[in-house]
Amino acid sequence: MLSEIFCDQYMDEGVIRKPIKLHRGLNIVVGGTDASNSIGKTTFLLAIDFALGGKTYARKSSSMVRAIGHHTLHFTHTFDGVDYRFCRDTAETKTVWSCDDKRNRLRSMSIEAYKDWLAAKYGLGELGSSFRDLQSPFFRVYGMKHDDVDRPLMSSTSDKVSADLLRLLKLYGRYEEVAEIEEKRKNLELDRSAFRNADSRRFIRKAQSAKEYAKNERKIKSLESQMKQMLERCDKGVVEITTEKSGYIATLTDQLIELRRGRDSLARALRAMERDLELISFSKTKNLERLRTYFPGIDIRPIAEIDAFHEENVRNLKEMHRNESADIKARIADLDLQISRIEESIQQAGGISTLPRVAMEEYADLNSLVEQLVRANELYDRDKQFAEDAKEIKSQRESIEQHHFREIESAINEELLSLNRAAVGRGIAAPKIEIVDPDHYTYEIPLDDGTGSRNRGMFLFDIALLRQTPLKFAIHDSPGLKQVEDGHTIGMFNLYSQCEEQIFVAIDKVDKYTESGEVPDVIKENTVLELSRGHELFGIAWNRDIESQAEDIGSDE
C-alpha cells in the first residue's frame, strides 16, 4: 500500500509537516468548517496521484507550481512489512529515485520503469494494459477530467467508448480470448497491407467492382472463343511450323523456371523467419520477492527495469518480423498466380500444332490479354477474401465480448445493488450499467438524474470495482462529494472504511454531517490530514496576496 507522503515544502505555522501517514481503507483530507479554497485539499490528492505515476500535480501551468515553485515529493510503498522509498521532482517528472530511510537518493529510474514496478507490485501487471490505464480513471480529482458520471470508465476525454469497455474486460481478467482474436485481426491487416503494397507494384490493375469483374469474365470468354476458332482454322490445312511453337514454349518455360526459383528463395526466407520468430521470446523475472529470501537486502528495482527494457525490445523485434513475413507472403502469393498462369499457357500451347508465325503472334496477344483479365479478377477475389475474413474475425470478437460483457454487467449490478442498500438503505434506486455492445454502454440511476444521485452512483461504481477486480486505489475529491446528500456520504464512507484497498477523499465542513454538529466517528477515525485557513498544506493560500497573509500572521502573534 501507499503508506507515507512527505515534502519539505509542506508547512504548518512555519514548521515542516511531519510525514503524512496513510493506511488501508478510507484516508480523509479534512478542510475547514468554512469550506476555504486553495488550502491544499485537492493538491494533496494530486500528490497521491503523483506518487502513483501521474503528472497533473507538477503541471507547469498549475497555480501550485507558480506559487510555491518546483519541489521534491517523497513517498513510501509498503508490502509485507517492507518499505520501498522513492522521490520525484516536479521539475523532472520523467525520473523517479529510489531512496534510503533517510531520504537520500540511491538510484534513478524512468517513470515508465517505475510504473511497471507499480503494476507488478500491485498485481496489475498481467492484465494486458499499463498501470495508469487501468488505475487512473478512478482518480476523480478536480482537474483530471475523470468525473463524467455517465462514463465512469473513461480515462481521457479523447477516448472512445470502446476503450472504456476494453478496460473493463482487462480488469475482470476476460481479455485473453479477445487478445487472441485481436492478434488475428492485426496479422490479417498486415497481410492485407502487404498484399496491397505488392499490388501497387504490379502492372496489372485489379478489378475495382463486381460489375467490372463480370465484364472481365465476359471478355475472357470472348477472347478464349476467338483463340479456339483460330486453332480450328489453322488445323484445317495451314502448314505446321514447329519451330515457332517450340520457341514460344521454350520462352514460357524459361519464365516459369525463373519464377519458381524466386518463389523457392522466398519460401526458404519465410521458413527461416518463422523459425526465428518462434525463438524470439522473453519471460519476465517471476517471484522477485522470493529473491529476498536468499539474498536479504537485494534491490529488485534494477531487475524490473531490465525486464521492462527487454520486453519492449522483444515486442519491437516481433513486430518487425511480422511485417517482413507478411510482405514475403504477399510476394509468394503473387508469384503463385504468375506461375499458375504460365503453366496454363504452356499447356494450351501444346495444342497449337499448326500456327504460322503471324497467327502465333496474334494468338499470343490474345492469350496475354486473357492472362491480364484473369489476374485482375484473381486479385479482386483475393481482396474480397480479406474483407470476408476481417468480417468473420470482427463477428467472432463481438460474440466473445458480448458473452463476457453480459456476465460482467450482471456481477457489477448485483454489487451496486448491495452497496447502495448498505450506503443509503432500501427504497432508493441503485445505479445500473447496461453494456449495449462493444462500443456503447450506459450508466445511470433509473428515473433519477439528480446531480447528487449521479455522483453517488459514480463513487459506488468505484467501490464495486475495487471489490471485484485487482484495482487498489480510488480518489474522490470534494467537488463531487459535496453534491451527495450528507447522510449518503457517511454511508459511503462506512463502506470505504471496510475496504482492504485504499480510498483517498477530500471533504470540508465536517460538522454538517450530523444535526448536533458532532463529527461522525468514521471521519474522525480515518482523517490523515487536516487543513484550514492558516493551516494550509504549504503554509500559505496562494489565492491571497503575500501582504495580507503576513498581516494575518502578525495579528495571530
Side-chain angles (χ1 to χ4, degrees):
M1 70 172 180
L2 183 62
S3 56
E4 183 180 286
I5 297 286
F6 173 79
C7 177
D8 61 12
Q9 294 298 308
Y10 292 174
M11 311 287 288
D12 188 18
E13 296 184 335
V15 179
I16 297 175
R17 290 180 179 273
K18 292 180 181 180
I20 300 164
K21 301 294 184 179
L22 309 171
H23 51 253
R24 296 191 183 279
L26 178 60
N27 294 260
I28 305 177
V29 181
V30 173
T33 56
D34 59 351
S36 302
N37 295 321
S38 299
I39 59 175
K41 299 188 303 297
T42 293
T43 300
F44 184 72
L45 295 184
L46 289 175
I48 299 289
D49 175 66
F50 194 64
L52 295 173
K55 57 187 178 182
T56 308
Y57 177 81
R59 208 167 42 196
K60 290 182 180 180
S61 61
S62 74
S63 56
M64 181 269 292
V65 170
R66 285 186 278 115
I68 305 301
H70 285 294
H71 51 276
T72 301
L73 192 76
H74 291 263
F75 39 92
T76 303
H77 299 273
T78 302
F79 301 96
D80 298 324
V82 180
D83 292 335
Y84 298 83
R85 296 179 174 86
F86 301 89
C87 71
R88 189 179 177 196
D89 298 327
T90 59
E92 183 48 66
T93 60
K94 294 183 179 180
T95 301
V96 177
W97 288 82
S98 62
C99 301
D100 62 20
D101 57 4
K102 299 185 184 302
R103 304 191 185 94
N104 297 311
R105 301 184 182 205
L106 299 176
R107 185 189 301 273
S108 67
M109 67 176 76
S110 70
I111 185 61
E112 296 306 320
Y114 173 67
K115 287 187 284 191
D116 287 343
W117 181 88
L118 288 174
K121 295 298 290 184
Y122 284 106
L124 297 175
E126 303 298 328
L127 298 181
S129 200
S130 70
F131 175 81
R132 293 294 301 182
D133 180 70
L134 296 172
Q135 193 57 84
S136 65
F138 307 94
F139 295 167
R140 306 192 190 281
V141 187
Y142 178 77
M144 292 185 66
K145 303 186 185 303
H146 294 158
D147 54 357
D148 190 330
V149 295
D150 298 321
R151 281 184 61 186
L153 288 160
M154 183 179 68
S155 176
S156 168
T157 53
S158 61
D159 277 357
K160 294 181 179 179
V161 174
S162 58
D164 295 10
L165 294 173
L166 196 61
R167 184 174 297 110
L168 192 65
L169 286 174
K170 292 174 180 178
L171 285 170
Y172 277 84
R174 305 295 189 93
Y175 182 62
E176 187 173 349
E177 280 187 278
V178 177
E180 292 176 1
I181 296 294
E182 178 64 11
E183 185 71 13
K184 288 183 181 179
R185 186 195 66 79
K186 287 181 178 179
N187 289 336
L188 180 66
E189 283 301 313
L190 286 173
D191 290 346
R192 189 176 195 174
S193 177
F195 172 76
R196 286 177 173 174
N197 288 337
D199 186 26
S200 67
R201 295 193 291 267
R202 300 183 184 101
F203 293 106
I204 295 177
R205 175 179 173 275
K206 173 176 70 72
Q208 300 299 303
S209 65
K211 183 177 180 181
E212 185 176 340
Y213 184 97
K215 182 180 179 181
N216 287 348
E217 288 289 297
R218 292 192 296 272
K219 185 68 173 175
I220 290 169
K221 288 182 179 179
S222 175
L223 291 171
E224 287 178 340
S225 176
Q226 292 180 51
M227 293 163 66
K228 182 180 179 181
Q229 291 174 9
M230 184 181 297
L231 289 175
E232 289 174 351
R233 287 197 304 271
C234 291
D235 281 341
K236 289 179 179 178
V238 179
V239 178
E240 179 178 1
I241 305 178
T242 305
T243 303
E244 286 85 345
K245 167 188 169 183
S246 299
Y248 176 61
I249 294 177
T251 300
L252 291 176
T253 302
D254 289 342
Q255 293 176 12
L256 184 61
I257 291 171
E258 189 65 28
L259 289 172
R260 284 176 173 168
R261 285 175 179 169
R263 190 198 185 285
D264 289 343
S265 177
L266 288 174
R268 287 193 297 272
L270 181 61
R271 286 194 296 271
M273 189 167 293
E274 289 174 342
R275 286 195 301 271
D276 289 346
L277 189 59
E278 291 177 0
L279 296 174
I280 298 173
S281 64
F282 175 72
S283 299
K284 279 188 174 181
T285 307
K286 295 183 178 179
N287 298 324
L288 289 178
E289 286 303 314
R290 295 185 63 187
L291 289 174
R292 296 186 184 278
T293 305
Y294 306 103
F295 305 99
I298 187 174
D299 185 0
I300 64 172
R301 285 185 289 272
I303 301 175
E305 292 182 50
I306 292 170
D307 278 357
F309 171 77
H310 286 299
E311 191 174 25
E312 179 65 22
N313 282 348
V314 166
R315 277 198 298 268
N316 292 337
L317 196 56
K318 282 187 174 182
E319 187 69 19
M320 181 180 70
H321 271 63
R322 289 193 186 100
N323 288 335
E324 292 179 2
S325 176
D327 185 61
I328 290 176
K329 287 178 181 177
R331 290 163 63 189
I332 288 175
D334 182 41
L335 289 175
D336 285 341
L337 290 174
Q338 296 183 54
I339 288 169
S340 176
R341 294 307 306 165
I342 289 179
E343 287 175 341
E344 289 179 13
S345 295
I346 291 174
Q347 186 177 0
Q348 291 173 359
I352 306 174
S353 58
T354 56
L355 286 180
R357 179 180 297 277
V358 175
M360 181 174 287
E361 290 177 353
E362 184 180 351
Y363 185 94
D365 289 341
L366 293 174
N367 188 63
S368 176
L369 185 54
V370 168
E371 286 184 359
Q372 291 181 39
L373 293 172
V374 169
R375 286 283 304 283
N377 281 4
E378 286 174 341
L379 295 176
Y380 176 87
D381 287 335
R382 186 82 181 275
D383 201 44
K384 183 179 178 181
Q385 187 61 50
F386 276 127
E388 291 174 355
D389 289 346
K391 185 178 180 180
E392 174 62 22
I393 288 174
K394 182 181 179 182
S395 176
Q396 290 178 12
R397 175 169 178 164
E398 288 177 350
S399 176
I400 291 172
E401 286 180 330
Q402 286 288 16
H403 169 71
H404 289 313
F405 283 143
R406 281 193 296 271
E407 293 187 349
I408 293 171
E409 176 187 295
S410 177
I412 292 175
N413 286 334
E414 286 182 17
E415 187 69 28
L416 286 169
L417 180 60
S418 174
L419 291 171
N420 192 71
R421 286 176 177 173
V424 304
R426 294 178 179 272
I428 296 179
K432 293 179 66 175
I433 186 171
E434 181 182 358
I435 303 173
V436 181
D437 57 47
D439 296 308
H440 303 89
Y441 73 98
T442 61
Y443 187 69
E444 61 183 0
I445 298 177
L447 304 178
D448 187 351
D449 59 358
T451 302
S453 296
R454 295 169 78 192
N455 276 276
R456 167 171 52 87
M458 178 176 66
F459 298 141
L460 289 177
F461 183 84
D462 293 356
I463 304 306
L465 265 66
L466 282 174
R467 288 190 172 191
Q468 294 189 341
T469 74
L471 287 172
K472 296 297 186 291
F473 305 98
I475 307 178
H476 297 164
D477 203 354
S478 56
L481 288 168
K482 284 179 181 178
Q483 306 298 325
V484 181
E485 188 174 321
D486 293 342
H488 296 176
T489 300
I490 296 301
M492 291 193 305
F493 283 0
N494 285 323
L495 291 174
Y496 294 3
S497 67
Q498 297 166 15
C499 289
E500 281 296 307
E501 300 76 20
Q502 290 181 283
I503 303 99
F504 305 96
V505 306
I507 58 172
D508 46 32
K509 289 187 175 182
V510 293
D511 56 345
K512 72 174 182 175
Y513 290 104
T514 61
E515 292 183 3
S516 64
E518 181 73 18
V519 178
D521 289 342
V522 70
I523 294 178
K524 288 189 291 186
E525 293 168 2
N526 292 285
T527 296
V528 297
L529 178 63
E530 293 186 62
L531 303 172
S532 61
R533 181 70 66 203
H535 300 278
E536 298 86 358
L537 181 63
F538 290 94
I540 62 170
W542 49 83
N543 66 343
R544 304 175 68 199
D545 60 71
I546 301 299
E547 289 82 0
S548 63
Q549 294 190 65
E551 290 173 5
D552 288 349
I553 293 172
S555 62
D556 289 342
E557 294 176 347

